[in-house]
Amino acid sequence: MGQARADRRGRARGLGLGLLARRIWSLSRRLARALRVRRRIVTFHPDDRAGTAGREFRPSSALDLAAGWVVVQLKLPSVDGPVASSLALDGEDDLPYPPLFLGAADKGSKFVGKPQFRYLPARMRMARLSVFGAAPAASVIQAIVWELGPLSFLFYLLLRVPHVPLGWVLRSRSGGLKLQMFRATYLLQSERSPISYQTWFDLFETETFRPRPNDAALAKLQRDIRLAVVVERSSQSIEDVSTTLQSLERQSLRSARLEVVEPGKQRLAELLTDLCGDPRITHIVGLEAGIRLAVDALAMLAAPLLGPQADVVYGDHDYYAAGTGQRHSPRFQPPWCNPSSTSWDVPPALFAVRKECLKLGTAPEWKSVPALGMAVLQRNVSSPGTRLRAAHIPQMLCHVPDTLLQRSNKYSPSLVSMTVGSTSAKVTIVIASAFRQGIADRFLPRILQQTHYQAAEYIITVHEKRLADPANAELVQRLQSDPRVRILPHGVDQFNFALIANRAARGGDGEFVCFLNDDIDIIDGTWLDRLVCVMEHDHIGAVSARLLYPDGCIQHDGVVVGLMGAGEHWNRFAPNDRPREPAAGFTFRDVSAATGACLLVRQDAFASIGGFDERFSVGYNDIDLCLRLGVKGWRIVVATNVELYHCETASLEREESLAASGERNLFRKTWRELLASEPYFNPNVSLATATTFALAVPPRDRSPRIYDTGSPAA
């Protein structure tokens, strides 16, 4: 018996040692993956099938990159600038991701390939390498790719930005380590545009990327579009007027009438009255003296006026130094939005408007050509109810002297008039909560106490097991004591936000339904009053707020479709107190989509499209909902002057499961046409970075974009 007992002990000891060995082996494999640094050299060969936009190279063999952190360095043979390069990537779904910028060189300097750090949200495949500008002499190009594990990424982070780990410690009470890792991932790959604007202009503002109109098209424009060009002399310098007149002389499309007007409301009003009464004139073009027009600018401005496709046309512009002519500070104009939603801080430097659209004699703000341009973009040029269509040409139509740069900044945003408490429409607030300790008990009572809107009912939907948990009994009792609150249990074990939210929304009887996360913290109790006020404007189907991280930086300022491959928040982690980049700047503004963390939707519009698509259980359900509302003609806006805190730490877990769930690929396949043609995001701005403004290399489709009643039609 003693021997049998000893044998059993020996077997148990052996089994325990075996389990320990397997655990050590498993941990060592995990550690090896975390410390992994996989270095590859990729060889690219010329692709003779490539077009003329840039010289293209294909990899010698297929190369898949795993999701995670990568560093790519291009070894380009000695090439004189201007030159730029980018690497196109395809996803597992065979749809393209935004290209990775791999370096550039200014005119007169040599190309030096610097390591480019990027986070890949999904497994990708290298598709092609594009080189713009001077062609490399060598027929073969190499790139070095490092794939980093999580711990290797930390070491790389310490080398690149050693102050970040200290920042994690200091900010640990504002989101914890996971949020700070997320922040570092964004900030590392979202550095300021690494290509200078002058180099970008030299490469992409060329005939290859902006074809000139042919003779037949010019003849038709000359016959059907008769322009009156109004040049306002904003200074006493004769050289400024001469500069503009010389650029007008070089235009392929001739104007029917040219007028130089002195500053002053009375002079401008008299001239506009005269031009509108001239039967030879169909459209009026406005600009200030000193502005240089790009080649064929008038022809490009006039082309969308045929039909007419549009009543108003405007384009992008930049600035140039008076002494050197160096171009800088590009102004990529936003889309044409409703006047109540637009607060343009910089008027268009060049614009055209059909003369029948002007409401003469009733616009005292037209004291200058820039003021008229601002009115054109804010739809204050026509009588109320007049249907207008506008075209935005996302190309540099003109160049503005530095002397006018400061003048442009004096046009302050036009704030939306809101009377808090002016509406009593009932709102159903739906909160899908997991009753997490430290989240639900902290934020739900504060949402109820600090929201001032009176006509609101709250439907809090919770899993029945969480509801029955004794640890949550006090919170449940506290919530049920509020007569506005209804707790709706559900038995959905596999979390599906879309399914849960749809069921809860059907249980309410409000005119509007507001989807709200349970980790939202209220800043101003009138937040819901102001969102409801926004919904009173034309054709608005959904409105969201600007969401902030606990440390005050921006978490959500609208969603850009195609950003970082699928759809991402614009301006994420940007300081809330800094001026917006050239693609933004509104009191509330039109977007393609907004976050479901705080989303107020018309109940009838929500029901008409069947609510959330329940295939998107974890992510992209909010973006998909907004896009389907947009297809039905509803506008989606973000009220950037309505701010809430979003403690997104708990929500970060959804980011980790998106790749495994396949919802990113499903979204990309469903909305594949929008991925590279986001209508509310300028195609000259990169989709590869979500935190800061960066120039797109190369630009996406820059054909005119037609807008009607604030909603893109093309």
Side-chain angles (χ1 to χ4, degrees):
M1 182 178 294
Q3 182 63 36
R5 187 179 304 163
D7 291 343
R8 285 196 299 273
R9 285 200 194 102
R11 285 195 297 270
R13 189 179 299 112
L15 182 61
L17 289 174
L19 290 174
L20 179 61
R22 282 195 293 271
R23 182 165 296 180
I24 292 174
W25 173 249
S26 176
L27 289 174
S28 63
R29 290 185 63 186
R30 290 185 185 180
L31 183 61
R33 283 196 297 268
L35 288 169
R36 144 182 119 251
V37 179
R38 189 177 183 183
R39 182 179 183 269
R40 306 191 198 182
I41 297 179
V42 186
T43 302
F44 293 88
H45 297 276
D47 184 1
D48 297 331
R49 300 166 298 172
T52 59
R55 189 173 182 189
E56 293 190 353
F57 298 80
R58 298 278 176 176
S60 56
S61 59
L63 176 62
D64 289 343
L65 299 176
W69 295 279
V70 297
V71 179
V72 184
Q73 183 175 11
L74 182 63
K75 295 295 186 180
L76 193 63
S78 181
V79 175
D80 293 329
V83 63
S85 59
S86 64
L87 178 64
L89 299 171
D90 289 339
E92 294 177 295
D93 50 12
D94 293 325
L95 297 178
Y97 272 78
L100 297 184
F101 174 80
L102 293 185
D106 297 336
K107 187 175 182 179
S109 60
K110 297 286 186 180
F111 180 90
V112 178
K114 295 181 179 179
Q116 301 293 324
F117 175 88
R118 285 293 178 266
Y119 176 77
L120 304 182
R123 178 175 290 275
M124 298 182 191
R125 182 174 59 256
M126 285 189 175
R128 66 186 179 279
L129 174 71
S130 299
V131 179
F132 305 95
S139 59
V140 174
I141 297 178
Q142 288 188 333
I144 304 176
V145 181
W146 290 272
E147 295 181 78
L148 307 180
L151 290 180
S152 302
F153 161 70
L154 287 178
F155 288 126
Y156 181 83
L157 193 64
L158 284 168
L159 293 174
R160 287 289 301 273
V161 276
H163 63 277
V164 169
L166 177 60
W168 291 351
V169 175
L170 296 177
R171 296 192 188 104
S172 60
R173 298 182 63 186
S174 302
L177 183 62
K178 184 178 289 188
L179 175 59
Q180 303 314 322
M181 286 278 289
F182 193 40
R183 180 198 303 264
T185 300
Y186 269 73
L187 296 183
L188 262 181
Q189 61 182 331
S190 299
E191 298 168 353
R192 297 294 303 183
S193 182
I195 179 172
S196 70
Y197 173 67
Q198 182 66 57
T199 297
W200 183 90
F201 181 89
D202 292 340
L203 291 173
F204 301 116
E205 287 292 331
T206 61
E207 290 188 21
T208 301
F209 291 91
R210 47 184 298 173
R212 302 181 65 176
N214 56 42
D215 293 340
L218 280 174
K220 184 173 178 58
L221 289 174
Q222 197 72 62
R223 183 180 66 250
D224 297 341
I225 305 296
R226 298 180 297 279
L227 302 176
V229 179
V230 177
V231 180
E232 182 178 76
R233 183 176 174 178
S234 53
S235 70
Q236 298 302 315
S237 173
I238 299 178
E239 292 181 2
D240 287 346
V241 178
S242 177
T243 297
T244 301
L245 295 182
Q246 288 176 16
S247 67
L248 285 168
E249 283 293 325
R250 291 192 293 266
Q251 295 297 302
S252 55
L253 181 67
R254 314 298 296 180
S255 59
R257 186 171 167 183
L258 174 62
E259 297 286 346
V260 179
V261 62
E262 298 290 334
K265 180 174 66 174
Q266 187 64 31
R267 295 187 184 93
L268 181 59
E270 291 173 356
L271 177 58
L272 291 176
T273 302
D274 180 34
L275 293 176
C276 288
D278 189 338
R280 300 174 301 165
I281 302 302
T282 60
H283 297 79
I284 297 172
V285 175
L287 70 159
E288 289 186 276
I291 291 176
R292 300 175 181 172
L293 275 66
V295 176
D296 296 316
L298 289 186
M300 296 174 66
L301 201 67
L305 297 172
L306 280 173
Q309 297 180 57
D311 305 295
V312 174
V313 182
Y314 65 97
D316 298 340
H317 66 269
D318 59 17
Y319 296 88
Y320 67 89
T324 63
Q326 184 84 3
R327 293 187 174 91
H328 62 89
S329 305
R331 173 64 191 184
F332 297 128
Q333 297 286 21
W336 199 55
C337 300
N338 187 279
S340 59
S341 71
T342 307
S343 58
W344 291 64
D345 53 351
V346 177
L350 180 69
F351 63 90
V353 58
R354 186 162 54 88
K355 70 176 185 179
E356 289 82 4
C357 297
L358 297 178
K359 50 175 185 179
L360 297 176
T362 60
E365 67 272 19
W366 300 354
K367 43 193 168 182
S368 65
V369 166
L372 175 60
M374 187 72 82
V376 163
L377 296 181
Q378 295 181 339
R379 298 190 186 179
N380 293 330
V381 294
S382 301
S383 302
T386 303
R387 180 178 180 178
L388 296 178
R389 302 187 80 199
H392 170 218
I393 302 174
Q395 299 187 39
M396 292 300 159
L397 297 187
C398 62
H399 315 289
V400 182
D402 280 342
T403 53
L404 298 180
L405 180 58
Q406 296 302 320
R407 286 169 49 91
S408 328
N409 297 330
K410 71 180 182 179
Y411 299 95
S412 57
S414 55
L415 299 177
V416 180
S417 176
M418 292 185 181
T419 305
V420 175
S422 62
T423 178
S424 58
K426 188 173 183 179
V427 177
T428 300
I429 301 178
V430 173
I431 303 176
S433 178
F435 266 30
R436 294 160 295 184
Q437 292 296 323
I439 299 293
D441 53 348
R442 175 186 172 192
F443 292 109
L444 288 179
R446 290 163 68 166
I447 291 173
L448 297 175
Q449 294 167 6
Q450 298 178 16
T451 299
H452 298 167
Y453 194 79
Q454 297 298 314
E457 63 171 350
Y458 295 81
I459 297 180
I460 302 175
T461 176
V462 190
H463 194 282
E464 52 194 17
K465 292 181 181 178
R466 295 278 186 149
L467 206 57
D469 189 342
N472 296 322
E474 182 180 348
L475 176 60
V476 172
Q477 183 178 4
R478 186 176 177 184
L479 294 175
Q480 288 179 332
S481 65
D482 192 318
R484 301 170 299 169
V485 174
R486 184 157 33 113
I487 296 181
L488 183 66
H490 68 79
V492 183
D493 292 325
Q494 185 75 26
F495 180 77
N496 187 321
F497 171 82
L499 173 63
I500 295 168
N502 283 342
R503 290 179 181 177
R506 286 194 291 268
D509 59 355
E511 181 181 344
F512 304 108
V513 56
C514 179
F515 298 98
L516 197 68
N517 275 24
D518 65 352
D519 53 358
I520 291 290
D521 203 4
I522 307 301
I523 297 176
D524 186 330
T526 63
W527 67 275
L528 186 55
D529 300 75
R530 287 183 282 162
L531 291 184
V532 173
C533 286
V534 172
M535 296 292 277
E536 295 178 350
H537 295 276
D538 293 340
H539 308 294
I540 294 181
V543 58
S544 183
R546 171 177 286 173
L547 301 184
L548 309 176
Y549 284 110
D551 64 359
C553 64
I554 293 174
Q555 185 259 324
H556 167 262
D557 211 13
V559 170
V560 176
V561 178
L563 192 61
M564 300 185 74
E568 251 299 341
H569 297 177
W570 174 243
N571 271 341
R572 190 193 283 269
F573 294 117
N576 191 29
D577 57 352
R578 77 171 189 183
R580 298 279 71 77
E581 296 288 357
F586 301 92
T587 301
F588 69 85
R589 59 189 177 92
D590 291 72
V591 293
S592 287
T595 180
C598 174
L599 188 66
L600 182 68
V601 188
R602 293 185 186 276
Q603 180 69 274
D604 55 349
F606 182 78
S608 69
I609 62 171
F612 290 106
D613 187 337
E614 294 174 7
R615 295 178 301 167
F616 297 102
S617 59
V618 180
Y620 298 107
N621 39 56
D622 45 5
I623 307 177
D624 173 79
L625 175 79
C626 292
L627 294 178
R628 287 187 288 122
L629 286 172
V631 169
K632 293 293 185 181
W634 293 103
R635 293 169 54 206
I636 314 300
V637 301
V638 173
T640 55
N641 61 337
V642 179
E643 297 180 345
L644 299 167
Y645 286 123
H646 184 203
C647 302
E648 199 192 24
T649 310
S651 304
L652 292 179
E653 296 173 2
R654 85 177 186 98
E655 304 286 342
E656 300 170 357
S657 61
L658 286 181
S661 68
E663 292 179 18
R664 177 183 286 107
N665 288 347
L666 175 61
F667 176 83
R668 282 165 51 81
K669 290 178 180 177
T670 304
W671 298 102
R672 61 187 305 161
E673 300 299 327
L674 271 180
L675 291 178
S677 58
E678 155 69 80
Y680 292 106
F681 200 69
N682 197 294
N684 297 302
V685 181
S686 174
L687 287 173
T689 171
T691 302
T692 58
F693 164 78
L695 295 165
V697 177
R700 298 179 297 283
D701 180 16
R702 297 199 289 176
S703 56
R705 299 179 170 203
I706 310 297
Y707 298 91
D708 188 353
T709 321
S711 298

